[in-house]
């Protein structure tokens, strides 16, 4: 092989290739080839890395050298599907704005829930020595943390992992549910129904708890017959309309804006008007729905932008991290014309 051919081949070899050949992590390879001081790595692991480097013809480059010296200005964001959800880009936008503000560039990988693609994305980010990684899911839930995330600073966004030790930022579902009910109480309603999802989730339990606490604070006894289980989509709200009308409720809190959209259709079929005959509030602030219903839907917003922004601030130490492992971000009301 000529010198030029060898150079071209070496240039295509990555730290991931070396790590796989040596049976170690990408981080270990980075520490060994860049001779990072103060890092404890066993002699056997070092030997395997050096042998793999020689066998594969791996060589560092200026970028890798710069990154190994701790001057990386990259922050990673790995997401399962947020770039294709109705809230497209809000978490990314919040994270990107904060990253730019503090002199960092955001590297985004949308994996569509594919574990192999997720592992590859995390490995790539580790190879680029990112300052840290934001790991996000498209809806609030508990997750199993990919092992590779423990190799760098990580903040979980819109998800959490009990016992992982990783800080997490999630919507305050209970506060949001309480806020929704309080909006209806402030308008004078006392018999308030809640159309809740049948899908187990922090949103289901948290929003119900908030609804109950708002009623209790107003001196109204919780009435289980006013809580209607429904699919968390348009058809769920539509199907709940007859039960809602039979309940005698004058106002209703819908689990999300899609449920409210279906409920609007069901109420209209029964000749009822919002808010003249019944007041409605949703949740999520899915603007393509809530802002364009007739009348426009009052709702409670999921704080996606702030989740991304706060994630970056927490990751780089721009705000204190002494709070509980799971930090809840407030869900604000968005007042329109349905109450």
């Amino acid at each position: 092989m000529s010198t030029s051919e060898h150079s071209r081949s070496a240039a295509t070899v990555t730290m991931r290739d070396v790590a796989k050949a040596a049976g170690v992590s990408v981080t270990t390879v980075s520490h060994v080839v860049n001779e990072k001081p103060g890092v404890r790595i066993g002699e056997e692991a070092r030997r395997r890395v050096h042998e793999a480097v020689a066998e594969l013809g791996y060589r560092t480059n200026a970028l890798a050298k710069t990154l190994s010296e701790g001057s990386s200005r990259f922050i990673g964001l790995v997401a399962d599907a947020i770039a294709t959800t109705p809230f497209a880009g809000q978490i990314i936008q919040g994270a990107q704005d904060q990253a730019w503000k503090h002199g960092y560039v955001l590297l985004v990988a949308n994996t569509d829930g594919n574990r192999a693609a997720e592992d590859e994305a995390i490995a790539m980010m580790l190879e680029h020595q990112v300052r840290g990684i934001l790991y996000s899911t498209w809806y609030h839930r508990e997750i199993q943390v990919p092992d590779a995330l423990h190799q760098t600073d990580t903040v979980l966004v819109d998800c959490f992992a009990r016992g992982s030790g990783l800080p997490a930022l999630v919507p305050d579902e209970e506060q949001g549910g309480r806020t929704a009910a309080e909006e209806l109480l402030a308008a004078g309603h006392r018999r308030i129904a809640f159309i809740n999802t049948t899908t187990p989730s922090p949103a289901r339990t948290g929003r119900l708890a908030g609804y109950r606490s708002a009623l209790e604070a107003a001196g109204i006894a919780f009435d289980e017959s006013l809580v209607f289980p429904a699919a968390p989509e348009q058809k769920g709200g539509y199907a709940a309309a007859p039960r809602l009308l039979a309940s005698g409720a004058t106002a209703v809190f819908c689990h999300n804006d899609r449920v409210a959209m279906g409920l609007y259709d069901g109420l209209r079929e029964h000749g009822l008007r919002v808010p003249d005959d019944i007041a409605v509030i949703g949740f999520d602030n899915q603007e393509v729905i809530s802002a364009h219903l007739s009348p426009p839907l009052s709702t409670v917003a999921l704080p996606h932008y702030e989740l991304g922004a706060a994630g970056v601030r927490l990751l780089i130490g721009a705000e204190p991290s002494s709070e509980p492992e799971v930090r809840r971000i407030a869900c604000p009301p968005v007042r329109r014309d349905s109450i």
Side-chain angles (χ1 to χ4, degrees), residues 10 13 21 25 33 49 54 76 129 132 150 153 156 172 194 200 211 219 236 240 242 245 270 299 321 331 336:
V13 178
S25 70
V33 300
V49 170
Q129 295 289 297
H150 292 292
D153 291 339
L156 306 180
D172 192 336
F194 179 30
Y211 161 80
L245 297 179
H270 285 82
T299 187
S321 58
C331 302
R336 296 192 178 96

Side-chain angles (χ1 to χ4, degrees), residues 71-319:
S71 57
S72 168
R73 306 306 293 175
F74 295 134
I75 290 173
L77 189 153
V78 177
D80 62 354
I82 62 171
T84 55
T85 67
F87 306 103
Q90 291 182 31
I91 287 177
I92 294 173
Q93 188 66 56
Q96 182 171 277
D97 286 351
Q98 282 298 306
W100 276 113
K101 179 179 178 181
H102 293 281
Y104 290 89
V105 174
L106 192 69
L107 301 179
V108 179
N110 189 64
T111 66
D112 291 324
N114 182 298
R115 179 48 65 92
E118 181 177 270
D119 290 344
E120 184 75 6
I122 294 171
M124 178 273 292
M125 290 176 179
L126 292 175
E127 183 174 338
H128 281 75
Q129 295 289 297
V130 291
R131 170 63 183 80
I133 293 176
L134 303 182
Y135 182 86
S136 183
T137 55
W138 77 271
Y139 69 94
H140 178 191
R141 61 188 174 91
E142 186 170 11
I143 63 160
Q144 290 290 325
V145 178
D147 290 340
L149 288 180
H150 292 292
Q151 297 180 37
T152 188
D153 291 339
T154 298
V155 173
L156 306 180
V157 176
D158 208 23
C159 57
F160 63 98
R162 277 187 282 249
S164 68
L166 295 179
L169 295 162
V170 299
D172 192 336
E173 305 283 5
E174 183 169 347
Q175 169 271 316
R178 186 166 56 251
T179 294
E182 287 171 347
E183 291 290 304
L184 298 172
L185 289 165
H189 296 281
R190 303 286 291 176
R191 190 163 178 79
I192 300 171
F194 179 30
I195 302 177
N196 200 10
T197 180
T198 54
T199 305
S201 66
R204 177 191 184 194
T205 55
R207 294 173 195 181
L208 175 60
Y211 161 80
R212 294 187 64 160
S213 69
L215 295 180
E216 181 181 353
I220 301 172
F222 172 69
D223 184 347
E224 192 169 353
S225 70
L226 290 177
V227 177
F228 306 112
E233 53 201 34
Q234 184 176 6
K235 66 181 181 181
Y238 178 83
R243 288 174 289 161
L244 175 65
L245 297 179
S247 73
T250 64
V252 58
F253 165 28
C254 296
H255 174 79
N256 63 30
D257 296 344
R258 288 175 294 157
V259 168
M261 177 169 62
L263 180 63
Y264 266 46
D265 293 337
L267 294 175
R268 190 175 298 111
E269 283 192 3
H270 285 82
L272 298 180
R273 297 171 299 171
V274 176
D276 297 343
D277 299 308
I278 189 163
V280 181
I281 190 167
F283 206 109
D284 290 355
N285 193 32
Q286 193 170 327
E287 288 197 36
V288 69
I289 295 174
S290 56
H292 295 93
L293 286 175
S294 181
L297 177 69
S298 293
T299 187
V300 174
L302 282 170
H304 286 105
Y305 181 93
E306 180 57 22
L307 286 170
V312 169
R313 293 196 299 268
L314 186 58
L315 186 69
I316 65 175
E319 63 180 52

